[in-house]
Amino acid sequence: MNASAKATVKRNKRTFGEWLKSRDGQKVLVMLAFLIIPLVLLMVFTYIPFAEMVKFSFYNMKYVGARKFVGWKNYIKVFSRKDCFGALKLSLYYMGGSVIQLSLALYLATILSFKVKGGDLFKGFMFFPFLINGIAIGFIFKFFYTRGFVFDTVLQWCGFQLDNLPYWLKDRSINNISLVGTSVWRYFGQNMVLFIGAIMSVDNELYEAAMLDGANKFQQFKYIIMPSIKTIFVLNVILSISGSLSAFEPPYVITDGANGTGTYFVVMHEIAHTQQKVGLASAMAVVLLLIIFVVTILQKLFFKYVFKDGTE
Amino acid sequence: MSISEKIGKSALTILKYFSLVFFSFVALLPVVSCVITAFKTDEEYQNTNVMVLPHSWLNFDNFVNAFNKAGMGRAFINSTVILICVLLFSTLIGTQLAYVLNRFTFPGNKLIRNMFLFASMLPGVAMQIPVYEIMYKLGFINLLPGYIIVMCGTDVIAIYIYIQFFENIDVSLDESAIVDGASYFTIFYRILLPLLKPAIVTSCILKGVGTYNEYYMANMYLQDKTRLATVATSLYTFVGPLGSKYNLICAGVIISLLPALIVFITCQKQIYSGLTSGAVKG
């Protein structure tokens, strides 16, 4: 046994060059060559930072300088400081927004997937906001919502008095809704395109057969369109809830989190990069990640239960 | 068809077109109002309502001013360099990764797929806290190649598009090449990569738009704004003292979104199909 193993090792050594040239050797070589860079990048920019973040969350530290181990203190702070955990309440606004966004996208996708004059043009108009960069969107909407500017003017055309209109970005009773509006504006066209894609993947004969059987538009929607986009719809609902919890961009680029618009991530960004309380910010990130995982798993279970094969 | 059915049908048609026109208006209004303001002189901007059309549609002064004030010449060069490098590099590693994951069965194949999938679930803003520290240690702050590398690292959607595409390329093609004595490298570069062209175009357009529009990491890792601004971050110039000169700002905004608009008009079909194929799998 021992001797034969030694012999194998010897033989392997002798034929290593040959092995490299063999099919198996080539396979390993090409796998190494093609996998190493993506995996290194994945490690360096995702998994190592992820581990570091968990570690940071137990320290009192800045990016540079001394670190002090503080145990669970940062986590206690996340739940006790008013500006941290309380900010998660704002995600309710964003969840409301994504409900509107998804229904709107579904409605428009249904219209556009039947024959419509100028359909491509309408689709293009509604999709285009998705392609604008975040900073530009920030300026566009600061301008849009400024007192007496675009939005107020359009409302005045509709018969509203300027004096009765609120300051859209300052008034605490409305400013979060204004911000959510910008996010709906930016993404409803993209959702719509996804839904159209899913609806179009249905065999056309199905619609023709349904027409022959005398099914009306509503029945077609219920029995053909809905089932065909179920997967992607469920996926988008799941994404929208985790998206709402981690809402960041609208307040970051438009109000900078002022006047009670600071979502959880905006507060976290501020704590991490302005106040340099890296430990606390890391704890905030870890807490939110855990919440997102729990929510995602619950949602998957929920949809599995409701739709049987709801997810994939 | 009875009269009531006809009325019902035309009511539906009216509702249909009303919805399309209304929501197209909603989608376009913020951008169009920006275009209107960008053509106004300072005096016009101060004395007329924002929705009043400008005197002259040929007043390009704001565009020239915005371009110079924000250093957009430099920014366009930087963005172009970043775009070319990121697209080349990420296409190469993305297609290679997809090739191995699709064509070879080996222990860990599923694990690697799941690792990429899990990575895509981590919200970018939160991850930048520790990534910043790593970038700092690597000396990648204020270094264009550093930013390019970090932009290449996390692209799951493209990988899914490629894997899906590989699934539709018959394995017998590889096998016959192997019989002819071709190495795996030859098979990949000479046979499969050319066939992958439609998928590469699609994912490059998506990745290209994403890279061009990226500002959060660019702002954090390319802090030297006079030398290393990208088109998106060059707009930060207008935060501060220039913050209320909206005719100038709007011109800057319009300049920054022109490339995206051009790509959109020329490649609509690929953008839509890319989004759809990326989303169904992801």
Side-chain angles (χ1 to χ4, degrees):
Chain A
M1 181 72 199
N2 205 359
S4 78
K6 260 182 193 164
T8 322
V9 169
K10 234 180 203 171
R11 207 181 62 221
N12 276 350
K13 256 184 194 165
R14 199 179 56 226
T15 60
F16 184 69
E18 282 165 42
W19 178 80
L20 264 187
K21 280 183 192 135
S22 76
R23 274 291 146 200
D24 285 343
Q26 286 282 305
K27 226 177 213 176
V28 172
L29 210 63
V30 78
M31 270 165 48
L32 279 180
F34 284 3
L35 285 179
I36 198 148
I37 297 178
L39 286 182
V40 166
L41 286 176
L42 186 67
M43 282 301 146
V44 173
F45 294 116
T46 305
Y47 284 97
I48 295 176
F50 183 63
E52 289 269 277
M53 186 164 78
V54 176
K55 196 182 89 188
F56 288 175
S57 68
F58 293 102
Y59 284 83
N60 191 351
M61 59 178 280
K62 295 186 171 195
Y63 282 113
V64 237
R67 302 174 175 189
K68 202 176 126 225
F69 184 81
V70 292
W72 294 96
K73 251 190 193 155
N74 285 325
Y75 286 93
I76 294 167
K77 265 191 205 156
V78 171
F79 290 97
S80 60
R81 270 174 69 141
K82 249 201 294 189
D83 59 344
C84 292
F85 208 67
L88 267 186
K89 268 185 253 157
L90 291 187
S91 51
L92 288 177
Y93 285 104
Y94 290 85
M95 281 180 205
S98 41
V99 171
I100 293 170
Q101 179 183 316
L102 288 172
S103 345
L104 189 61
L106 189 57
Y107 169 64
L108 292 165
T110 311
I111 292 178
L112 283 171
S113 54
F114 293 108
K115 264 220 173 70
V116 175
K117 281 201 189 75
D120 279 345
L121 203 63
F122 287 123
K123 190 170 151 188
F125 287 157
M126 293 187 271
F127 177 76
F128 182 66
F130 178 66
L131 297 176
I132 302 176
N133 72 73
I135 300 296
I137 286 185
F139 284 117
I140 289 174
F141 279 100
K142 272 185 216 165
F143 174 65
F144 184 81
Y145 283 130
T146 302
R147 185 73 168 172
F149 279 18
V150 187
F151 194 40
D152 287 354
T153 305
V154 172
L155 287 176
Q156 279 171 297
W157 291 348
C158 302
F160 288 91
Q161 294 292 315
L162 185 59
D163 295 332
N164 299 333
L165 295 174
Y167 283 82
W168 299 106
L169 295 176
K170 282 196 191 126
D171 189 332
R172 278 169 190 260
S173 62
I174 195 95
N175 58 6
N176 281 304
I177 295 172
S178 310
L179 290 181
V180 170
T182 69
S183 159
V184 174
W185 174 82
R186 190 174 183 191
Y187 292 108
F188 82 93
Q190 187 246 12
N191 286 168
M192 179 186 81
V193 166
L194 292 183
F195 292 154
I196 292 174
I199 295 172
M200 289 300 183
S201 67
V202 177
D203 199 342
N204 240 338
E205 282 171 19
L206 222 54
Y207 292 108
E208 279 158 26
M211 296 265 249
L212 283 180
D213 289 348
N216 64 27
K217 285 264 150 76
F218 182 72
Q219 285 164 331
Q220 286 184 35
F221 177 79
K222 194 174 166 198
Y223 295 108
I224 305 179
I225 295 184
M226 253 339 247
S228 68
I229 60 168
K230 199 174 64 190
T231 307
I232 197 156
F233 192 75
V234 168
L235 189 79
N236 271 286
V237 172
I238 290 177
L239 285 179
S240 74
I241 304 248
S242 51
S244 309
L245 289 170
S246 46
F248 175 72
E249 215 164 53
Y252 179 69
V253 295
I254 300 172
T255 58
D256 208 10
N259 299 312
T261 57
T263 57
Y264 190 80
F265 267 1
V266 171
V267 175
M268 186 200 73
H269 171 86
E270 221 262 332
I271 290 177
H273 299 289
T274 313
Q275 302 177 17
Q276 293 250 332
K277 289 181 183 161
V278 178
L280 178 59
S282 297
M284 285 183 80
V286 173
V287 168
L288 193 64
L289 278 178
L290 286 176
I291 295 176
I292 287 177
F293 287 144
V294 171
V295 169
T296 309
I297 291 166
L298 284 180
Q299 278 174 312
K300 288 216 168 192
L301 288 177
F302 174 74
F303 281 112
K304 212 172 200 167
Y305 182 70
V306 173
F307 288 128
K308 297 284 193 288
D309 58 345
T311 57
E312 289 183 56
Chain B
M1 203 182 275
S2 72
I3 292 177
S4 67
E5 268 179 57
K6 263 187 187 167
I7 292 174
K9 207 157 190 203
S10 44
L12 263 181
T13 312
I14 291 171
L15 180 68
K16 192 166 83 176
Y17 282 102
F18 173 77
S19 310
L20 290 175
V21 170
F22 179 75
F23 287 107
S24 298
F25 174 77
V26 170
L28 289 180
L29 176 67
V31 183
V32 169
S33 63
C34 247
V35 176
I36 292 173
T37 301
F39 282 97
K40 287 183 176 175
T41 62
D42 287 354
E43 201 188 335
E44 261 183 293
Y45 166 67
Q46 263 149 23
N47 298 325
T48 59
N49 183 282
V50 281
M51 294 307 283
V52 174
L53 300 182
H55 274 305
S56 154
W57 287 103
L58 295 171
N59 171 27
F60 289 103
D61 293 356
N62 293 322
F63 292 92
V64 175
N65 272 339
F67 191 89
N68 291 333
K69 280 228 167 72
M72 287 179 122
R74 178 85 236 177
F76 270 103
I77 294 173
N78 287 337
S79 279
T80 311
V81 171
I82 292 170
L83 205 58
I84 292 171
C85 296
V86 169
L87 289 186
L88 275 179
F89 194 56
S90 65
T91 302
L92 194 65
I93 61 175
T95 50
Q96 290 178 339
L97 180 70
Y99 169 67
V100 172
L101 291 180
N102 177 258
R103 287 300 203 250
F104 299 129
T105 40
F106 58 95
N109 188 319
K110 182 94 184 148
L111 178 74
I112 294 178
R113 286 176 193 236
N114 284 335
M115 273 165 66
F116 276 95
L117 200 63
F118 179 78
S120 72
M121 286 173 65
L122 302 172
V125 178
M127 289 302 290
Q128 292 319 308
I129 298 170
V131 170
Y132 183 87
E133 205 231 4
I134 287 177
M135 294 288 279
Y136 182 81
K137 277 185 183 157
L138 290 171
F140 278 0
I141 310 281
N142 278 330
L143 196 71
L144 214 51
Y147 176 68
I148 290 168
I149 290 173
V150 77
M151 284 298 290
C152 290
T154 48
D155 196 10
V156 190
I157 289 172
I159 295 166
Y160 271 104
I161 294 177
Y162 295 138
I163 289 183
Q164 237 179 344
F165 211 84
F166 272 120
E167 276 165 9
N168 295 324
I169 300 177
D170 206 333
V171 188
S172 65
L173 206 66
D174 304 31
E175 281 159 1
S176 61
I178 290 175
V179 172
D180 290 345
S183 74
Y184 289 107
F185 290 95
T186 320
I187 294 172
F188 177 75
Y189 288 110
R190 290 281 160 79
I191 301 174
L192 295 176
L193 207 54
L195 286 175
L196 216 57
K197 209 172 125 197
I200 293 176
V201 171
T202 298
S203 68
C204 274
I205 293 169
L206 284 185
K207 178 94 183 165
V209 172
T211 307
Y212 177 78
N213 283 341
E214 205 285 324
Y215 68 92
Y216 185 71
M217 290 199 282
N219 186 33
M220 200 156 12
Y221 302 132
L222 302 174
Q223 295 163 350
D224 182 353
K225 291 285 182 305
T226 50
R227 217 164 38 87
L228 294 172
T230 65
V231 175
T233 59
S234 71
L235 290 177
Y236 276 115
T237 317
F238 300 113
V239 179
L242 293 170
S244 57
K245 287 196 73 178
Y246 275 110
N247 52 344
L248 193 67
I249 294 173
C250 285
V253 165
I254 301 299
I255 295 173
S256 83
L257 57 84
L258 276 182
L261 180 64
I262 293 167
V263 170
F264 177 55
I265 290 170
T266 48
C267 314
Q268 252 185 74
K269 290 261 147 58
Q270 278 101 334
I271 292 184
Y272 294 151
S273 73
L275 273 178
T276 314
S277 59
V280 172
K281 263 276 175 170

